[in-house]
Amino acid sequence: MNSSEESAVTGMSAGRPALRMGPAELVQAAAMARRFYLEGKSKIQIAEEFGVSRFKVARVLETALERDLVRIEIRVPAELDADRSDALRSRYGLRHAVVVESPAEAEESPDPENLGEVAADLLGELVHEGDVLGLAWGRSTIHMAAALDRLPPCTVVQLTGVYDAGTAERGSVEAVRRAAQVSGGDAHPIYAPMLLPDAATAAALRNQTGIARAFEYFDKVTVACVSIGSWEPGISTVHDMLSDDERAHYASLGVAAEMSAHLFDAEGRRVGRDLGERCITVEADRLRRIPEVVAIAGGQRKAAAIDAVLRSGLVTSLVTDTSAADFLMAAGPTPRPALDRADPDGP
């Protein structure tokens, strides 16, 4: 480095208010900044081009920032809340957390439709060619499937039966078909109710050819998309399918949330496991082995249920909204990381 260069570097690093950049210095600083920030060139490459040391390039770039020649902005689409997303991901040890701004009038509504649209974009990132995508029943997953416009070639399998067999074509079966159509892959729907009257009927249905074929794919699922319900009418599919006596029984066990017909208390422990014997659904231990499980759920009415399911360790990623996120950030002691997916209740 020559003496004039050292002088320039010293003056810039000192940041003296009296120091002014002349026209030539301003033009050079702007050119270097363009090379570095817009063209992606390294400081060494810029130094070689301008015939100076890389130390001078570094100081010029610093000065360009200090004097507002360069302004760096981190911008995401207006509907995404980057700060809440990062804080939520860190608190629960999630792989991905995406928090969506919801209109004030929609804060009391569970699972605003825009969650499905954002989740569709997220799946476009997470699913790779050759993956097996699993979709569980839920209004949010149906909204997500309707919003899908890109997926690499993959197999799509239904992970649960349907809420009402009479509406299968407009619900999760259609969601599976839609995702397979977008990806160009095979679809494996399940034409059966989620909840059956007894365990024997459920077992007989699981052995039927079409349903058994779908179940064979459960261990191959690489990305799953699930919904979360809180234990109240209209917010939990399972709650709505049970009799009054059954609801009271499971409530007495402390159920606070359900996901894919699995029930959880407020600490994320599974309760009421006998219900699973009557359901057409992916087993919890299989869900735990899926590398990426994305839950889509939002709204203040679901916030406590989302916390409970996240504490179970079954979910690796979450798409939610700001009202739920604010509750989650203040919800009791910091939970263990979701990616530590050992079953707290044992096998």
Side-chain angles (χ1 to χ4, degrees), residues 88-267:
L88 199 60
R89 179 200 57 76
S90 178
R91 173 174 168 78
Y92 285 90
L94 297 167
R95 188 170 289 121
H96 304 283
V98 182
V99 178
V100 180
E101 291 279 2
S102 294
E105 63 271 16
E107 285 187 356
E108 293 300 323
S109 302
D111 302 335
E113 289 192 25
N114 61 338
L115 294 187
E117 296 169 3
V118 173
D121 286 341
L122 179 61
L123 282 191
E125 292 182 56
L126 299 181
V127 177
H128 298 91
E129 183 172 354
D131 277 348
V132 176
L133 172 62
L135 300 181
W137 159 262
R139 285 178 291 268
S140 57
T141 53
I142 292 170
H143 292 156
M144 180 278 300
L148 280 172
D149 59 10
R150 64 184 177 99
L151 273 181
C154 64
T155 299
V156 186
V157 60
Q158 193 168 323
L159 295 178
T160 64
V162 299
Y163 173 54
D164 181 348
T167 63
E169 295 297 325
R170 301 190 300 277
S172 46
V173 169
E174 177 56 30
V176 168
R177 286 178 170 172
R178 166 65 182 167
Q181 180 184 32
V182 172
S183 74
D186 293 333
H188 295 277
I190 293 178
Y191 294 97
M194 181 188 295
L195 180 65
L196 281 304
D198 52 64
T201 304
L205 274 179
R206 291 190 203 102
N207 289 326
Q208 288 190 356
T209 303
I211 297 174
R213 187 177 298 116
F215 268 65
E216 288 172 1
Y217 276 91
F218 286 180
D219 286 328
K220 302 174 185 177
V221 173
T222 49
V223 180
C225 191
V226 300
S227 296
I228 294 173
S230 57
W231 199 246
E232 59 179 299
I235 312 295
S236 164
T237 301
V238 174
H239 180 282
D240 292 347
M241 288 192 288
L242 295 172
S243 68
D244 290 341
D245 289 344
E246 290 170 327
R247 291 175 192 138
H249 166 66
Y250 291 116
S252 72
L253 301 179
V255 61
E258 64 96 353
M259 178 182 69
S260 302
H262 301 295
L263 309 182
F264 305 87
D265 68 11
E267 298 302 317

Side-chain angles (χ1 to χ4, degrees), residues 20-34:
R20 294 182 60 184
M21 296 179 74
E25 290 176 309
L26 286 168
V27 169
Q28 184 183 71
M32 288 182 176
R34 177 175 292 278

